[in-house]
Amino acid sequence: MMTKQSEDHFYEPREEEAIAMDVGLQSRSALVREAFKLGVTYLFLTALIFGVTAYFSGAGLAEKSPQGFAGYSTLVDVFSGFLSLFVMSVAVWNLRKSKMIYNIIVCFIVATAVAFADFFASREFYRIFYASENLDLSVSGNVQDLFMCWVAFFGWSCVFLTLLFSFDVRDRERRLAAVREEALSAQMRALRYQVNPHFLFNTLNSIAGLIEEGSSARAEQMVLSLSTFLRTTLTLDPFNDVRLSEELTLQEEYLEIEHQRFSDRMSFHIDMPDDVRGALVPSLILQPLIENAIKHGVGAMAGRVNIWLSARREADRLRVIVENSMPIEMVGPKPVGMGVGLKNVAGRLRARFKSDCQFSAGPAEPGVYRAALDLPWRTE
């Protein structure tokens, strides 16, 4: 049974539904704030345009002559304007569909209905509370104001529809990005963890062999190295890059295990300048390459096998090479297929860097097998 402490070490992804819900809630909250700010700005600019137009058009009438009720009270106009904008916004929000022509028709109908409702409701308000004022409450005397009101409302409905469309597009992009990130994370974890079972089985078989031979001290050392290696690898996030020096330190645990297995038949050489050791690489990217070198080098030859690891910076690129001795008879015109480990390396690099990387593996010369990585140079 897994303890609570061990559970905390595993990287658990969030469910796609939870991600989509979280993104949707954030988008709706942002939409409400944006719509409110846009509504205030639109109402202010509309009132400003109407006021300036009325002032310069000389529309003011004599005090004793009847005048239209529209614009008579700023407080009433602001209240009715906000209420009408809110009603239209709710209607457009709930009635909109994917087809734009349908949405334009909806905006036209909603703006017309709200404009007439606002006009007649305001007229009745003025009839009740401003009966003593010299106001013209007839439809014919206010038809121009009714038309201008409809234009303002129709304009707002179109502006709000555009706002909704932009938020729908951004919300869809965020949802797709969240799903793609989760899928990529799952792919990266699957590619990386495919290596562990194969390595684990080989190591356990070696431990069993050492126990049968009576080499309990070597078996104990191998178990400790295996424990340290697995504890470290299982806690690594596949999206977290590590320094090349840290990757080498981690591989020392793996090499210690393999050294217990193959004793004096394996030698390992590192050619890596100090300025390269600080470069960032994907975590555990070298482990399948070294394991492949041991499996197809040490495991396939009876004599001593040399493994070389080198790294160089070439302009803005990092080039890492792992080479190992191999039987000469394996080299020939027939291409050598990539194993599970090498395919996983290629898959992880494509998922991580897209086309900005190169990976090759195959015989470099008679008796030498080479796996080469070409990555972007990164130190932060």
Side-chain angles (χ1 to χ4, degrees), residues 28-50:
R28 177 169 296 186
S29 176
L31 174 60
V32 172
R33 293 194 300 268
E34 191 70 21
F36 179 77
K37 292 187 294 185
L38 186 61
V40 172
T41 304
Y42 183 85
L43 192 60
F44 172 77
L45 294 177
T46 302
L48 181 63
I49 292 174
F50 286 169

Side-chain angles (χ1 to χ4, degrees), residues 97-260:
K97 301 294 182 182
S98 58
K99 293 185 178 180
M100 187 56 65
I101 185 63
Y102 170 86
N103 293 330
I104 295 298
I105 295 175
V106 167
C107 290
F108 179 88
I109 295 175
V110 170
T112 302
V114 173
F116 274 92
D118 178 86
F119 177 84
F120 287 107
S122 298
R123 188 181 70 167
E124 293 304 314
F125 181 85
Y126 279 105
R127 187 190 304 276
I128 296 173
F129 294 98
Y130 293 85
S132 61
E133 305 294 335
N134 188 24
L135 298 177
D136 182 4
L137 300 177
S138 65
V139 175
S140 59
N142 295 273
V143 66
Q144 183 177 358
D145 293 324
L146 173 61
F147 175 75
M148 296 300 293
C149 182
W150 173 84
V151 170
F153 288 170
F154 181 66
W156 165 252
S157 62
C158 292
V159 169
F160 186 67
L161 180 65
T162 304
L163 178 66
L164 289 177
F165 178 76
S166 66
F167 264 82
D168 286 342
V169 171
R170 280 184 285 176
D171 184 54
R172 189 177 299 111
E173 290 176 350
R174 283 192 292 264
R175 290 173 184 269
L176 290 176
V179 173
R180 283 196 298 266
E181 181 179 351
E182 182 63 24
L184 179 59
S185 176
Q187 179 188 9
M188 294 283 283
R189 287 192 301 273
L191 289 173
R192 198 192 72 183
Y193 291 145
Q194 280 180 5
V195 179
N196 287 338
H198 180 270
F199 160 70
L200 180 60
F201 296 151
N202 285 341
T203 305
L204 292 178
N205 288 335
S206 298
I207 293 174
L210 291 175
I211 294 175
E212 291 180 358
E213 295 174 2
S215 303
S216 58
R218 293 177 59 192
E220 181 180 357
Q221 180 61 39
M222 205 168 184
V223 169
L224 292 177
S225 298
L226 175 63
S227 174
T228 302
F229 180 80
L230 290 181
R231 182 170 58 252
T232 304
T233 57
L234 289 176
T235 58
L236 289 176
D237 186 340
F239 278 101
N240 285 344
D241 295 333
V242 298
R243 303 290 178 186
L244 191 54
S245 58
E246 298 174 2
E247 178 75 0
L248 288 176
T249 301
L250 179 62
Q251 295 311 312
E252 289 178 355
E253 296 291 341
Y254 173 74
L255 291 171
E256 178 63 26
I257 295 173
E258 297 297 350
H259 179 71
Q260 294 294 331

Side-chain angles (χ1 to χ4, degrees), residues 57-94:
S57 65
L61 301 175
E63 291 184 3
K64 295 184 179 180
S65 61
Q67 55 179 306
F69 63 86
Y72 186 79
S73 172
T74 303
L75 182 62
V76 174
D77 289 343
V78 170
F79 177 79
S80 64
F82 269 114
L83 181 61
S84 299
L85 292 184
F86 176 77
V87 172
M88 283 191 304
S89 300
V90 173
V92 173
W93 190 341
N94 290 282

